[in-house]
Amino acid sequence: MTPALKRSAHAVSRAAGRLTSGIRMLPTFLIIGAQRCGTTSLYRVLARHPLVLKPVLRKGVHYFDMAYDRGMPWYRAHFPVRARASRLEHEYGCRVQAFESSPYYLFHPLAGPRIARDLPGVKLVVLVRDPVERAFSAHAHELARGFETESCFVRAVGLEEERLAGAAESLSASPYSASTAHRHHAYLARGRYAEQLARLEPLFGRERILVVDSGRFFTEPETVYDRVLAFLGLPHFGTPVFERHNARPRPAPMPGAFRGELARRFEPHDALLVPWLGAEPSWRR
């Protein structure tokens, strides 16, 4: 299907979805980030669970960060109808859950309060990764997508503070605005995971937030998968095939000295993750 036809099909599907929004599900859990931490891989493995229903059109709806002005009927249009869930519940004898995965939700200053208000009781899954590697991966990702013009990672990191100056405050002051820099150039800021989790804790409580070390997810996928199912209250239906998705080639290696400098800068932030993970982050062991 050509891009134009795909956009047209999506528009028709959303229009039909809005007309039937009253009979559609809302998600019971969200994968909210962090970006470049394995969210696509976890999304795909959970989407294969027989009692989990993914969005109709795409992995990430981005309603609570980029499209909140469109309203809840628009959001509901992205999810399956409740009749489908009822059929599955009758077949399996267990509750069916819907979900989506939008990695910008974790970082956007307004997404957390919006989610808490509109999806009471929802559970959140957060993946975290070595923040130095996350930043390096994000730079390659944004470069490949055309949102980054500075090909040198070291220089891009050097520009971050200036690019992001006032961006979060502006987003909070103008709720339906957007910031290219905040979304696409926050290489170090998005790796300060504990700061973002601290904003969410008063809204959801720790019992509704699961933080997953993606290093463990890729080395011990079965163990982590079982932990996610237990958190979500989902039964186990065998062990799926685990795959990595969305890897990006790097334009050049990261200088070793710069890697060490960034690791030192992240050390106090990583230490604050221990209570969330229940262990030292895998990249600090």
Side-chain angles (χ1 to χ4, degrees):
M1 183 182 292
T2 66
L5 284 174
K6 190 173 184 180
R7 286 193 297 271
S8 178
H10 282 187
V12 170
S13 181
R14 283 194 296 270
R18 282 194 293 271
L19 292 173
T20 58
S21 64
I23 61 170
R24 291 183 177 273
M25 303 176 69
L26 280 174
T28 56
F29 72 95
L30 303 170
I31 300 175
I32 63 169
Q35 181 206 38
R36 309 305 296 166
C37 290
T39 56
T40 299
S41 298
L42 183 60
Y43 167 85
R44 293 195 178 181
V45 75
L46 286 172
R48 291 198 290 269
H49 191 287
L51 295 175
V52 174
L53 298 180
K54 64 182 180 179
V56 175
L57 297 176
R58 59 172 66 88
K59 163 196 164 192
V61 181
H62 285 287
Y63 172 65
F64 294 104
D65 49 21
M66 302 300 295
Y68 197 63
D69 58 320
R70 299 192 177 195
M72 282 298 283
W74 180 90
Y75 186 55
R76 279 185 180 271
H78 290 78
F79 295 96
V81 295
R82 287 197 293 266
R84 182 182 173 194
S86 296
R87 289 193 296 270
L88 289 170
E89 287 172 354
H90 179 75
E91 179 180 353
Y92 288 95
C94 298
R95 179 191 181 206
V96 169
Q97 302 193 42
F99 82 120
E100 60 135 325
S101 174
S102 297
Y104 190 33
Y105 288 168
L106 178 63
F107 191 58
H108 193 284
L110 297 179
R114 289 168 172 173
I115 294 167
R117 180 170 57 247
D118 293 346
L119 299 178
V122 75
K123 292 184 177 181
L124 307 178
V125 179
V126 177
L127 289 96
V128 296
R129 155 191 200 186
D130 180 346
V132 179
E133 284 299 319
R134 194 221 71 82
F136 197 34
S137 175
H139 175 257
H141 182 63
E142 302 298 356
L143 198 62
R145 297 170 71 207
F147 292 108
E148 178 59 84
T149 57
E150 176 52 73
S151 61
C152 175
F153 174 63
V154 176
R155 287 198 293 268
V157 168
L159 291 169
E160 180 174 338
E161 185 175 355
E162 179 183 350
R163 284 170 158 180
L164 267 63
E169 293 79 6
S170 178
L171 288 169
S172 297
S174 302
Y176 302 139
S177 63
S179 168
T180 297
H182 190 268
R183 187 175 182 187
H184 300 289
H185 301 149
Y187 302 119
L188 302 189
R190 289 178 79 154
R192 294 194 286 267
Y193 310 119
E195 291 180 1
Q196 298 159 72
L197 292 166
R199 293 201 304 263
L200 297 177
E201 186 177 3
L203 298 169
F204 300 93
R206 290 206 178 197
E207 69 279 0
R208 287 201 280 138
I209 304 172
L210 177 67
V211 182
V212 174
D213 186 323
S214 66
R216 284 200 66 205
F217 177 48
F218 287 119
T219 57
E220 308 168 44
E222 294 87 357
T223 300
V224 172
Y225 177 70
D226 288 350
R227 184 177 172 225
V228 173
L229 293 187
F231 170 71
L232 298 174
L234 287 165
H236 204 291
F237 286 101
T239 302
V241 175
F242 297 97
E243 301 171 325
R244 291 195 183 211
H245 297 276
N246 283 355
R248 291 273 190 189
R250 313 297 168 82
M254 190 191 314
F258 190 61
R259 181 187 295 276
E261 177 191 335
L262 291 182
R264 287 189 292 274
R265 288 167 65 176
F266 276 118
E267 189 169 3
H269 302 283
D270 293 345
L272 294 173
L273 282 177
V274 173
W276 289 97
L277 294 171
E280 194 81 7
S282 60
W283 59 92
R284 287 289 177 182
R285 294 174 195 165

